[in-house]
Coordinates of all heavy atoms in Angstrom, one line a residue:
M1347 N -11.2 19.8 -22.2 CA -11.7 18.8 -21.5 C -13.0 19.3 -20.7 O -12.9 20.5 -20.2 CB -10.6 18.3 -20.5 CG -10.8 16.9 -20.1 SD -9.4 16.3 -19.1 CE -9.6 14.7 -19.2
N1348 N -13.9 18.5 -20.5 CA -15.1 18.8 -19.9 C -14.9 18.8 -18.3 O -14.1 18.1 -17.7 CB -16.2 17.9 -20.1 CG -17.6 18.2 -19.8 OD1 -17.8 19.2 -19.3 ND2 -18.5 17.4 -20.1
I1349 N -15.6 19.9 -17.7 CA -15.3 20.1 -16.2 C -15.9 18.9 -15.5 O -15.2 18.6 -14.4 CB -16.1 21.3 -15.8 CG1 -15.7 21.7 -14.4 CG2 -17.6 21.3 -15.9 CD1 -14.3 22.3 -14.2
K1350 N -16.9 18.2 -16.0 CA -17.4 17.0 -15.3 C -16.4 15.9 -15.3 O -16.2 15.2 -14.3 CB -18.7 16.6 -15.8 CG -19.9 17.6 -15.6 CD -21.1 17.1 -16.1 CE -22.2 18.1 -15.8 NZ -23.6 17.7 -16.4
K1351 N -15.7 15.8 -16.4 CA -14.7 14.7 -16.5 C -13.6 15.0 -15.6 O -13.1 14.0 -14.9 CB -14.1 14.6 -17.9 CG -15.3 14.0 -18.9 CD -14.6 13.8 -20.2 CE -15.7 13.2 -21.2 NZ -15.2 13.2 -22.5
I1352 N -13.1 16.3 -15.4 CA -12.1 16.6 -14.5 C -12.6 16.3 -13.0 O -11.7 15.9 -12.2 CB -11.7 18.1 -14.8 CG1 -11.1 18.3 -16.1 CG2 -10.8 18.6 -13.6 CD1 -10.8 19.8 -16.5
L1353 N -13.8 16.7 -12.7 CA -14.3 16.5 -11.4 C -14.3 14.9 -11.1 O -14.0 14.6 -10.0 CB -15.7 17.0 -11.2 CG -16.3 16.8 -9.9 CD1 -15.6 17.5 -8.8 CD2 -17.7 17.4 -9.9
G1354 N -14.7 14.2 -12.1 CA -14.7 12.8 -11.8 C -13.4 12.1 -11.6 O -13.2 11.3 -10.8
L1355 N -12.4 12.8 -12.3 CA -11.0 12.2 -12.2 C -10.4 12.7 -10.8 O -9.8 11.8 -10.1 CB -10.1 12.9 -13.3 CG -8.6 12.6 -13.2 CD1 -8.4 11.1 -13.4 CD2 -7.9 13.3 -14.2
V1356 N -10.7 13.9 -10.4 CA -10.3 14.4 -9.0 C -10.9 13.5 -8.0 O -10.3 13.1 -7.0 CB -10.6 15.9 -8.9 CG1 -10.4 16.4 -7.4 CG2 -9.8 16.7 -9.8
L1357 N -12.3 13.3 -8.0 CA -12.9 12.4 -7.0 C -12.3 11.0 -7.0 O -12.2 10.5 -5.9 CB -14.4 12.5 -7.3 CG -15.2 13.7 -7.0 CD1 -16.7 13.5 -7.5 CD2 -15.2 13.9 -5.5
T1358 N -12.1 10.4 -8.1 CA -11.5 9.2 -8.2 C -10.1 9.1 -7.5 O -9.8 8.2 -6.7 CB -11.3 8.6 -9.6 OG1 -12.7 8.6 -10.2 CG2 -10.9 7.2 -9.7
L1359 N -9.3 10.1 -7.8 CA -7.9 10.1 -7.3 C -8.0 10.4 -5.7 O -7.2 9.8 -5.0 CB -7.1 11.2 -8.0 CG -6.8 10.9 -9.4 CD1 -6.0 12.1 -10.0 CD2 -5.9 9.8 -9.6
L1360 N -8.9 11.3 -5.3 CA -9.0 11.5 -3.9 C -9.5 10.2 -3.2 O -9.0 9.8 -2.0 CB -10.1 12.6 -3.6 CG -9.5 14.0 -3.7 CD1 -10.7 15.0 -3.6 CD2 -8.4 14.3 -2.7
G1361 N -10.4 9.4 -3.8 CA -10.9 8.1 -3.2 C -9.7 7.1 -3.1 O -9.6 6.5 -2.2
I1362 N -9.0 7.1 -4.2 CA -7.8 6.1 -4.1 C -6.8 6.5 -3.0 O -6.3 5.7 -2.3 CB -7.1 6.1 -5.6 CG1 -8.0 5.4 -6.6 CG2 -5.8 5.4 -5.5 CD1 -7.6 5.5 -7.9
G1363 N -6.6 7.9 -3.0 CA -5.6 8.3 -1.9 C -6.2 8.0 -0.6 O -5.4 7.5 0.3
G1364 N -7.5 8.2 -0.4 CA -8.1 7.9 0.9 C -8.0 6.4 1.3 O -7.8 6.1 2.3
L1365 N -8.3 5.6 0.3 CA -8.2 4.1 0.6 C -6.8 3.6 0.8 O -6.5 2.8 1.7 CB -8.8 3.4 -0.6 CG -10.4 3.6 -0.8 CD1 -10.8 2.9 -2.1 CD2 -11.1 3.0 0.4
I1366 N -5.8 4.2 0.1 CA -4.4 3.9 0.3 C -4.0 4.3 1.7 O -3.3 3.6 2.4 CB -3.5 4.4 -0.7 CG1 -3.7 3.7 -2.1 CG2 -2.1 4.4 -0.3 CD1 -3.1 4.3 -3.3
Y1367 N -4.4 5.6 2.1 CA -4.0 6.1 3.5 C -4.6 5.2 4.6 O -4.0 4.9 5.6 CB -4.5 7.5 3.6 CG -4.0 8.2 4.8 CD1 -2.8 8.4 5.1 CD2 -5.0 8.6 5.8 CE1 -2.4 9.0 6.3 CE2 -4.7 9.2 7.0 CZ -3.3 9.4 7.2 OH -2.8 10.0 8.3
T1368 N -5.8 4.7 4.3 CA -6.5 3.8 5.3 C -5.7 2.5 5.4 O -5.5 2.1 6.5 CB -7.9 3.6 4.9 OG1 -8.7 4.8 4.7 CG2 -8.6 2.6 5.9
A1369 N -5.3 2.0 4.3 CA -4.5 0.7 4.3 C -3.3 1.0 5.0 O -2.8 0.0 5.8 CB -4.4 0.3 2.9
I1370 N -2.5 2.0 4.8 CA -1.3 2.3 5.5 C -1.5 2.4 7.0 O -0.7 1.9 7.7 CB -0.7 3.6 4.9 CG1 -0.2 3.3 3.4 CG2 0.6 4.1 5.7 CD1 0.3 4.6 2.8
L1371 N -2.5 3.1 7.4 CA -2.7 3.3 8.8 C -3.1 1.9 9.4 O -2.7 1.6 10.6 CB -3.9 4.3 9.1 CG -3.6 5.7 8.9 CD1 -4.9 6.4 9.2 CD2 -2.5 6.2 9.9
Y1372 N -3.8 1.1 8.7 CA -4.1 -0.2 9.2 C -3.0 -1.1 9.3 O -2.8 -1.9 10.4 CB -5.2 -0.9 8.2 CG -5.6 -2.3 8.7 CD1 -6.4 -2.4 9.8 CD2 -5.1 -3.4 7.9 CE1 -6.8 -3.7 10.2 CE2 -5.6 -4.6 8.4 CZ -6.3 -4.8 9.5 OH -6.7 -6.1 9.9
V1373 N -2.1 -1.1 8.3 CA -1.0 -2.1 8.3 C 0.1 -1.6 9.4 O 0.7 -2.4 10.1 CB -0.2 -2.0 6.9 CG1 1.1 -2.6 7.1 CG2 -1.1 -2.7 5.9
N1374 N 0.2 -0.3 9.6 CA 1.2 0.2 10.7 C 0.6 0.1 12.1 O 1.2 0.2 13.0 CB 1.5 1.7 10.4 CG 2.4 1.8 9.2 OD1 3.1 0.9 8.9 ND2 2.3 3.1 8.6
G1375 N -0.8 -0.2 12.1 CA -1.4 -0.4 13.4 C -1.5 0.9 14.2 O -1.7 0.9 15.4
S1376 N -1.4 2.0 13.5 CA -1.4 3.4 14.2 C -2.7 4.0 14.2 O -2.8 5.3 14.4 CB -0.2 4.3 13.6 OG -0.6 4.5 12.3
G1377 N -3.8 3.4 13.9 CA -5.1 4.0 13.8 C -6.1 3.4 14.7 O -6.2 2.1 14.8
E1378 N -7.0 4.1 15.2 CA -8.1 3.6 15.9 C -9.2 3.2 14.9 O -9.2 3.6 13.8 CB -8.7 4.6 16.9 CG -7.9 5.0 18.0 CD -8.6 6.1 18.8 OE1 -9.8 6.2 18.7 OE2 -7.9 6.7 19.5
F1379 N -10.1 2.4 15.4 CA -11.1 1.8 14.4 C -11.9 2.9 13.8 O -12.3 2.9 12.6 CB -12.1 0.8 15.2 CG -13.2 0.3 14.2 CD1 -12.9 -0.6 13.2 CD2 -14.5 0.7 14.4 CE1 -13.9 -1.1 12.4 CE2 -15.3 0.2 13.6 CZ -15.2 -0.6 12.6
K1380 N -12.3 3.9 14.6 CA -13.2 5.1 14.2 C -12.5 5.8 13.0 O -13.2 6.1 12.0 CB -13.6 5.9 15.3 CG -14.5 5.3 16.3 CD -14.9 6.3 17.4 CE -15.9 5.6 18.4 NZ -16.1 6.6 19.5
I1381 N -11.3 6.0 13.3 CA -10.5 6.9 12.3 C -10.4 6.1 11.0 O -10.6 6.7 9.9 CB -9.2 7.3 12.9 CG1 -9.2 8.2 14.0 CG2 -8.2 7.8 11.8 CD1 -8.0 8.5 14.8
L1382 N -10.0 4.8 11.1 CA -9.9 4.0 10.0 C -11.3 3.9 9.2 O -11.3 3.9 7.9 CB -9.5 2.5 10.4 CG -8.0 2.4 10.8 CD1 -7.8 1.0 11.3 CD2 -7.1 2.9 9.7
A1383 N -12.3 3.8 9.9 CA -13.7 3.6 9.3 C -14.1 5.0 8.6 O -14.5 4.9 7.5 CB -14.8 3.4 10.3
V1384 N -13.7 6.1 9.2 CA -14.1 7.3 8.5 C -13.2 7.5 7.3 O -13.9 7.9 6.2 CB -13.8 8.6 9.5 CG1 -13.8 9.9 8.7 CG2 -14.8 8.5 10.7
Y1385 N -12.0 7.4 7.3 CA -11.1 7.5 6.1 C -11.5 6.5 5.0 O -11.6 6.8 3.8 CB -9.7 7.4 6.4 CG -9.0 8.6 7.1 CD1 -8.1 8.3 8.1 CD2 -9.4 9.8 6.8 CE1 -7.5 9.4 8.8 CE2 -8.9 10.9 7.5 CZ -8.0 10.7 8.5 OH -7.4 11.7 9.1
G1386 N -11.8 5.3 5.4 CA -12.2 4.2 4.5 C -13.5 4.5 3.8 O -13.6 4.3 2.7
I1387 N -14.5 4.9 4.6 CA -15.8 5.3 4.0 C -15.8 6.4 3.1 O -16.4 6.4 2.0 CB -16.8 5.4 5.2 CG1 -17.1 4.1 5.9 CG2 -18.1 6.0 4.6 CD1 -17.9 4.1 7.2
L1388 N -15.0 7.5 3.6 CA -14.9 8.7 2.7 C -14.2 8.3 1.5 O -14.5 8.8 0.3 CB -14.3 9.8 3.4 CG -15.1 10.5 4.5 CD1 -14.3 11.6 5.2 CD2 -16.4 11.1 3.9
G1389 N -13.1 7.6 1.5 CA -12.4 7.2 0.3 C -13.2 6.3 -0.6 O -13.2 6.5 -1.8
A1390 N -14.1 5.4 -0.1 CA -14.9 4.6 -0.9 C -15.9 5.5 -1.6 O -16.3 5.3 -2.7 CB -15.5 3.5 0.0
I1391 N -16.5 6.5 -0.8 CA -17.6 7.3 -1.3 C -17.0 8.1 -2.5 O -17.5 8.3 -3.6 CB -18.2 8.2 -0.3 CG1 -19.0 7.4 0.6 CG2 -19.0 9.4 -1.0 CD1 -19.5 8.2 1.8
F1392 N -15.8 8.8 -2.3 CA -15.2 9.6 -3.4 C -14.8 8.6 -4.5 O -15.1 9.1 -5.7 CB -14.0 10.2 -2.9 CG -14.3 11.5 -2.0 CD1 -13.1 12.0 -1.2 CD2 -15.4 12.0 -1.8 CE1 -13.4 13.1 -0.4 CE2 -15.7 13.0 -1.1 CZ -14.6 13.7 -0.3
F1393 N -14.2 7.5 -4.3 CA -13.9 6.7 -5.5 C -15.1 6.2 -6.3 O -15.0 6.4 -7.5 CB -13.2 5.4 -4.9 CG -12.7 4.4 -5.9 CD1 -11.6 4.8 -6.8 CD2 -13.4 3.3 -6.2 CE1 -11.2 3.9 -7.8 CE2 -13.0 2.4 -7.1 CZ -11.9 2.7 -7.9
F1394 N -16.1 5.7 -5.6 CA -17.3 5.2 -6.5 C -18.0 6.3 -7.0 O -18.6 6.2 -8.1 CB -18.1 4.3 -5.6 CG -17.4 3.0 -5.2 CD1 -17.1 2.6 -3.9 CD2 -17.1 2.1 -6.3 CE1 -16.6 1.4 -3.7 CE2 -16.5 0.9 -6.0 CZ -16.2 0.5 -4.7
S1395 N -18.1 7.5 -6.4 CA -18.8 8.7 -7.1 C -18.0 9.1 -8.2 O -18.6 9.4 -9.3 CB -19.1 9.7 -6.1 OG -17.9 10.3 -5.7
G1396 N -16.7 9.1 -8.2 CA -15.9 9.6 -9.3 C -15.9 8.7 -10.5 O -16.0 9.0 -11.6
M1397 N -15.9 7.3 -10.1 CA -16.0 6.3 -11.2 C -17.4 6.3 -11.8 O -17.4 6.1 -13.0 CB -15.7 4.9 -10.6 CG -14.2 4.7 -10.3 SD -13.0 4.9 -11.5 CE -13.5 3.6 -12.5
G1398 N -18.4 6.5 -11.0 CA -19.8 6.5 -11.5 C -19.9 7.8 -12.5 O -20.6 7.6 -13.5
L1399 N -19.3 8.9 -12.1 CA -19.4 10.1 -13.0 C -18.7 9.9 -14.3 O -19.2 10.3 -15.3 CB -18.9 11.3 -12.2 CG -19.0 12.7 -12.9 CD1 -20.4 13.0 -13.1 CD2 -18.3 13.7 -12.0
I1400 N -17.5 9.3 -14.2 CA -16.7 9.0 -15.4 C -17.4 8.1 -16.3 O -17.5 8.2 -17.5 CB -15.3 8.5 -15.1 CG1 -14.5 9.6 -14.4 CG2 -14.6 7.9 -16.3 CD1 -13.1 9.2 -13.9
K1401 N -17.9 7.0 -15.7 CA -18.7 6.1 -16.5 C -19.9 6.5 -17.2 O -20.2 6.3 -18.3 CB -19.1 4.8 -15.6 CG -19.8 3.7 -16.3 CD -20.0 2.6 -15.3 CE -20.8 1.5 -16.1 NZ -21.2 0.4 -15.2
R1402 N -20.6 7.4 -16.4 CA -21.9 8.0 -17.0 C -21.5 9.0 -18.1 O -22.2 9.0 -19.0 CB -22.6 8.7 -15.9 CG -24.0 9.2 -16.3 CD -24.7 9.8 -15.1 NE -23.8 10.2 -14.1 CZ -24.1 10.8 -13.0 NH1 -25.3 10.9 -12.7 NH2 -23.1 11.2 -12.1
L1403 N -20.5 9.7 -18.0 CA -20.2 10.6 -19.0 C -19.5 9.8 -20.2 O -19.6 10.4 -21.3 CB -19.1 11.7 -18.5 CG -19.6 12.7 -17.5 CD1 -18.6 13.5 -17.0 CD2 -20.7 13.5 -18.1
G1404 N -18.9 8.9 -20.0 CA -18.3 8.1 -21.2 C -19.4 7.4 -21.9 O -19.1 7.2 -23.2
S1405 N -20.5 7.1 -21.4 CA -21.5 6.4 -22.2 C -22.5 7.3 -22.9 O -23.2 7.0 -23.7 CB -22.3 5.5 -21.2 OG -23.0 6.2 -20.2
S1406 N -22.5 8.7 -22.4 CA -23.4 9.6 -23.0 C -22.7 10.2 -24.4 O -21.5 10.2 -24.6 CB -23.6 10.7 -22.1 OG -22.6 11.5 -21.9
N1407 N -23.5 10.6 -25.2 CA -23.0 11.1 -26.5 C -23.1 12.6 -26.4 O -24.1 13.2 -27.0 CB -23.7 10.6 -27.8 CG -23.4 9.1 -27.9 OD1 -22.4 8.7 -27.6 ND2 -24.5 8.4 -28.4
E1408 N -22.2 13.3 -25.9 CA -22.3 14.8 -25.8 C -21.6 15.5 -26.9 O -20.7 15.1 -27.5 CB -21.5 15.2 -24.6 CG -22.3 14.8 -23.3 CD -21.7 15.5 -22.1 OE1 -21.2 16.7 -22.2 OE2 -21.6 14.9 -21.0

């Protein structure tokens, strides 16, 4: 397996984990807005960068 595909998978999974953690904190009401924003933004960045990397590698003919 290509190292870039593994990195894309890891980034995507970290992003999903961050977004789920943000949702859990929000539902429980145990998070301040700043903390929720930081986790949510970082989760979104990781998720979309991982998905973009996977999509870009999937469309190339290596």
Side-chain angles (χ1 to χ4, degrees):
M1347 205 176 201
N1348 194 358
I1349 191 74
K1350 290 181 182 179
K1351 289 182 183 179
I1352 294 172
L1353 180 63
L1355 179 65
V1356 168
L1357 285 173
T1358 303
L1359 292 176
L1360 282 173
I1362 290 171
L1365 292 172
I1366 289 173
Y1367 185 64
T1368 303
I1370 290 171
L1371 286 179
Y1372 178 74
V1373 169
N1374 289 337
S1376 60
E1378 295 180 17
F1379 177 73
K1380 290 180 184 179
I1381 294 172
L1382 291 174
V1384 167
Y1385 287 141
I1387 290 170
L1388 285 177
I1391 289 172
F1392 284 169
F1393 178 74
F1394 288 117
S1395 64
M1397 290 301 292
L1399 186 59
I1400 291 172
K1401 182 178 178 182
R1402 188 175 26 181
L1403 290 174
S1405 63
S1406 67
N1407 294 327
E1408 289 187 36

